[in-house]
Amino acid sequence: MKLYWNSDAGAWESLVRECPGVTVFHRGAWLSAVARAREARFEGAICEFASDQLAFVPLIARHRFGGLSSTANSGAEPGFLGYGGLLSTAPLSAAQI
């Protein structure tokens, strides 16, 4: 598995647009708005499996004290203002999750 980080909401949007189960809470515009409201930034994790299947985890990251302290919240956490958790291009196996 390869892991990539994407902080470009527009590029993120083009990746997740065609995924089954996508909601407004996975969209780049929503994630960017939440990040701004929390004085943080959008960072998406993209997992690429050997089968070329992709999985996406939207994160809102906050870096403080010059990067010495960092936190990241996923859309599946309570208080995130909607569900925007794990998303994939096809169903994931238990081993992939």
Side-chain angles (χ1 to χ4, degrees):
M1 177 183 77
K2 295 178 185 175
L3 182 64
Y4 303 95
W5 294 99
N6 180 333
S7 58
D8 181 319
W12 175 268
E13 178 70 20
S14 67
L15 291 170
V16 301
R17 183 177 316 146
E18 301 301 321
C19 289
V22 67
T23 70
V24 68
F25 304 113
H26 291 101
R27 305 305 264 238
W30 174 262
L31 295 163
S32 294
V34 171
R36 280 191 306 274
R38 293 186 172 198
E39 298 179 357
R41 71 180 196 200
F42 161 71
E43 292 183 14
I46 303 168
C47 305
E48 182 180 359
F49 297 98
S51 62
D52 292 331
Q53 184 177 0
L54 299 174
F56 309 98
V57 180
L59 301 169
I60 302 299
R62 181 180 242 173
H63 305 284
R64 296 183 211 142
F65 310 113
L68 294 174
S69 173
S70 298
T71 58
N73 295 32
S74 78
E77 294 181 18
F80 188 79
L81 305 174
Y83 176 78
L86 181 66
L87 187 65
S88 65
T89 54
L92 297 174
S93 69
Q96 291 172 313
I97 296 174

